[in-house]
Amino acid sequence: MAGNTVQLDSKTLWGGKESPFQTSYGKLMMWFFLVSDALTFSGLLVAYGFVRHDTLEAWPIGEETFNSLPFLGHGYPLIYVALMTFILIVSSVTMVLAVEAGHRMDKKGVVKWMIATIIGGFFFLGSQVWEWSHFIHGSEFGRIELMDGSEAIVKGHFGEIKNFTVLESGLHHKKGDVITDDLMHTFQHAAKEGHIEKGGKIHLHDGSVAQVNKARDHDLELTIKMISSDSKRNIGDKIDGKEAEKLYYASLYSGTPKVTYGAPWFEDGEHWLPTKNEYGPQQYAHFFFFITGFHGFHVFSGVLINILIFIGVVKGTYHKRGHYEMVEKTGLYWHFVDLVWVFVFTFFYLV
Amino acid sequence: MERDDLIEYSLNTHHSEEHGKALRKKILKVTLLLTVITAVEVALGAYIKQSSGVWIYVKWTFIALTLLKAGYIVMVFMHLGDERKWMRNVILLPYAGFILYLIFIALTEALAVGDAWSGVAI
């Protein structure tokens, strides 16, 4: 307490009239709300811990699952989440500076730092949109079920698809046509359905058959994540080089569905949460969407509340009131959102 | 009707220009500290494999660093360190007690369920 630190004995404090905590009603209630909200988030994270500990399947590893950056591709483990964490920490700092300016009745300072906080909040939400989209779409290789029934995740550089040359005419494409648009999407869709045959013959929706012309992949590496009873492999085994390429394409071009890309939400038109995902057990994706989604919802409402309070600051409502406690209270909520992310970062991405 | 017996606690947190300067310095220090801790966490996570023998220590380091970060956020950014001692206790103690127990019981049960599924005799 900066302004007027008064030594009070317990008789005065607890004797009525005074607040024993020397705090206003609103601030105390904000703290009680935050405690209850903290219990909710703890419940979610503990539930995640429960499922992770009782699962027999290999649990996804953070630095393997989250290793991409926008425009730069793969090979940057955890950098993107670290960036998101940094954005949220910085916006928490600008908020605490707004609160500090408020304690000096510096309206200009409050306005400046609150604008920075709101911008930080939007940046975080934008980052989360990219992260969700990336998680839903998955990697270029997907998760592959090998011919012996074991499942592997795949790392490496995906050779570019140049075009499809039509071998047999269908409704739209005639023999000899060269298809050059929407290649990756068509390729993954067909691979998922098992519509690509040995040698890279792709069956398109209009009934035509085409040859996939694709550059070779580089540095392919399979990591076994699940084994079947007749597989001689072990969980955690790594296969690379020519052997990896051979195993991967034997499965992908086997004519039966063996690959999963990302965590699709409407795979069969019925489920609204993924029934299968590229990264590991089904619950992993569910918890990812629920925990980061619930946190993102808090960030979103935090930004809205910050904007409302910002309008009050600009209009001078709090200046007339003689104190900026409203900024302090919304600041508490905003810091709490940052606090929760610190724990989500550790228990979802790191551990 | 105006009441003169109400105490305006909201004014308690006002401070002078000088004090604000010291506070801003402290905020800057805490910011640097939080950033460095996050960078260390990411470096550990990226370079030490979960299959390595020291992973268990890395894991506990993560948890310790997280609690340190959380402590700074709550005590400095949220000013809980400046509140009265019993307000701090009323907020932190019931929460900590309940959550520590929840973590203990949930993880113990989860391991038992996992053992049951894998057919290990308990």
Side-chain angles (χ1 to χ4, degrees):
Chain A
M1 296 276 110
N4 49 344
T5 314
V6 194
Q7 285 303 319
L8 295 159
D9 57 41
S10 58
K11 221 178 225 161
T12 331
L13 273 179
W14 296 93
K17 190 184 173 190
E18 286 273 345
S19 153
F21 295 144
Q22 296 286 292
T23 307
S24 75
Y25 174 81
K27 206 159 112 184
L28 198 61
M29 289 307 119
M30 179 52 97
W31 269 108
F32 287 168
F33 163 69
L34 292 183
V35 169
S36 79
D37 216 15
L39 289 170
T40 310
F41 273 108
S42 312
L44 287 173
L45 282 174
V46 169
Y48 170 81
F50 184 100
V51 170
R52 186 176 169 164
H53 277 80
D54 83 356
T55 281
L56 306 178
E57 252 182 271
W59 200 257
I61 294 171
E63 82 250 20
E64 283 178 4
T65 308
F66 302 97
N67 71 346
S68 305
L69 281 176
F71 314 115
L72 294 175
H74 311 293
Y76 306 94
L78 299 173
I79 301 295
Y80 190 74
V81 218
L83 204 70
M84 284 170 73
T85 310
F86 183 68
I87 290 171
L88 212 53
I89 286 177
V90 168
S91 88
S92 211
V93 172
T94 54
M95 190 74 219
V96 84
L97 287 171
V99 173
E100 193 273 328
H103 288 163
R104 286 182 285 111
M105 295 302 286
D106 171 10
K107 184 178 157 183
K108 257 191 181 160
V110 180
V111 168
K112 177 174 82 181
W113 291 120
M114 280 209 81
I115 290 179
T117 307
I118 291 165
I119 291 175
F122 276 121
F123 260 98
F124 182 85
L125 286 172
S127 317
Q128 207 163 34
V129 168
W130 184 85
E131 210 204 9
W132 270 45
S133 157
H134 190 74
F135 191 90
I136 291 169
H137 289 118
S139 68
E140 286 153 317
F141 289 107
R143 179 193 186 91
I144 191 86
E145 185 191 327
L146 301 178
M147 298 311 279
D148 67 357
S150 49
E151 288 182 18
I153 58 164
V154 191
K155 271 200 254 179
H157 181 79
F158 189 82
E160 194 200 347
I161 304 170
K162 288 166 189 139
N163 56 49
F164 302 150
T165 338
V166 181
L167 302 172
E168 289 169 35
S169 302
L171 277 173
H172 296 293
H173 305 297
K174 298 290 165 230
K175 194 176 168 178
D177 283 0
V178 179
I179 304 168
T180 52
D181 55 310
D182 212 16
L183 296 171
M184 193 63 194
H185 178 248
T186 313
F187 181 83
Q188 289 199 336
H189 188 75
K192 233 167 18 188
E193 310 263 310
H195 287 168
I196 312 183
E197 274 176 47
K198 222 170 162 181
K201 274 188 196 152
I202 184 166
H203 292 256
L204 299 173
H205 269 308
D206 68 336
S208 58
V209 181
Q211 174 65 43
V212 177
N213 296 315
K214 175 181 174 310
R216 265 190 94 160
D217 305 328
H218 296 295
D219 312 318
L220 213 62
E221 185 190 67
L222 308 181
T223 311
I224 302 294
K225 287 289 170 184
M226 210 160 117
I227 46 169
S228 67
S229 50
D230 49 326
S231 153
K232 290 188 190 73
R233 305 178 199 282
N234 296 310
I235 286 177
D237 280 1
K238 285 187 191 293
I239 308 152
D240 56 12
K242 279 227 166 75
E243 175 74 1
E245 208 171 329
K246 214 178 95 191
L247 285 171
Y248 180 77
Y249 285 99
S251 280
L252 199 73
Y253 292 170
S254 64
T256 45
K258 296 224 181 265
V259 68
T260 313
Y261 296 106
W265 277 46
F266 291 101
E267 193 56 23
D268 49 14
E270 282 178 26
H271 296 94
W272 60 276
L273 268 177
T275 50
K276 200 173 180 337
N277 70 76
E278 177 182 333
Y279 316 101
Q282 197 192 101
Q283 296 97 324
Y284 178 72
H286 292 183
F287 274 111
F288 173 80
F289 289 124
F290 204 99
I291 293 178
T292 65
F294 197 53
H295 175 266
F297 173 67
H298 275 73
V299 178
F300 177 71
S301 24
V303 170
L304 285 190
I305 296 167
N306 279 347
I307 290 175
L308 286 179
I309 299 298
F310 174 72
I311 293 170
V313 172
V314 171
K315 284 173 77 178
T317 315
Y318 311 125
H319 207 85
K320 262 181 250 153
R321 199 177 283 176
H323 58 79
Y324 280 89
E325 205 189 55
M326 284 309 277
V327 177
E328 199 176 334
K329 279 182 278 196
T330 180
L332 283 178
Y333 180 72
W334 190 251
H335 296 311
F336 172 75
V337 168
D338 179 31
L339 181 69
V340 168
W341 184 256
V342 165
F343 282 90
V344 172
F345 178 60
T346 300
F347 292 107
F348 211 96
Y349 296 89
L350 290 178
V351 170
Chain B
M1 191 176 66
E2 280 282 316
R3 287 180 59 179
D4 59 357
D5 60 332
L6 288 177
I7 305 169
E8 185 60 275
Y9 293 105
S10 309
L11 298 172
N12 284 4
T13 44
H14 278 190
H15 58 233
S16 63
E17 192 64 47
E18 268 160 63
H19 189 76
K21 224 174 191 176
L23 261 179
R24 287 198 293 275
K25 216 171 177 183
K26 191 179 176 190
I27 292 167
L28 186 72
K29 266 189 200 156
V30 175
T31 312
L32 287 177
L33 190 81
L34 293 179
T35 310
V36 170
I37 293 177
T38 306
V40 168
E41 284 180 335
V42 169
L44 282 175
Y47 290 112
I48 299 180
K49 296 275 161 249
Q50 293 206 0
S51 48
S52 89
V54 293
W55 180 253
I56 182 78
Y57 302 109
V58 175
K59 213 160 136 176
W60 282 104
T61 310
F62 282 153
I63 292 171
L65 288 177
T66 303
L67 290 176
L68 187 69
K69 271 208 275 192
Y72 271 102
I73 292 174
V74 172
M75 289 304 168
V76 180
F77 286 2
M78 296 171 92
H79 299 294
L80 195 59
D82 303 329
E83 302 291 355
R84 291 189 77 83
K85 182 177 149 210
W86 273 100
M87 178 167 157
R88 216 151 55 216
N89 288 348
V90 158
I91 288 163
L92 295 179
L93 296 183
Y95 175 80
F98 180 72
I99 289 304
L100 286 176
Y101 175 71
L102 185 67
I103 292 170
F104 157 74
I105 200 70
L107 297 192
T108 310
E109 289 290 316
L111 290 173
V113 171
D115 282 349
W117 279 353
S118 59
V120 177
I122 303 164

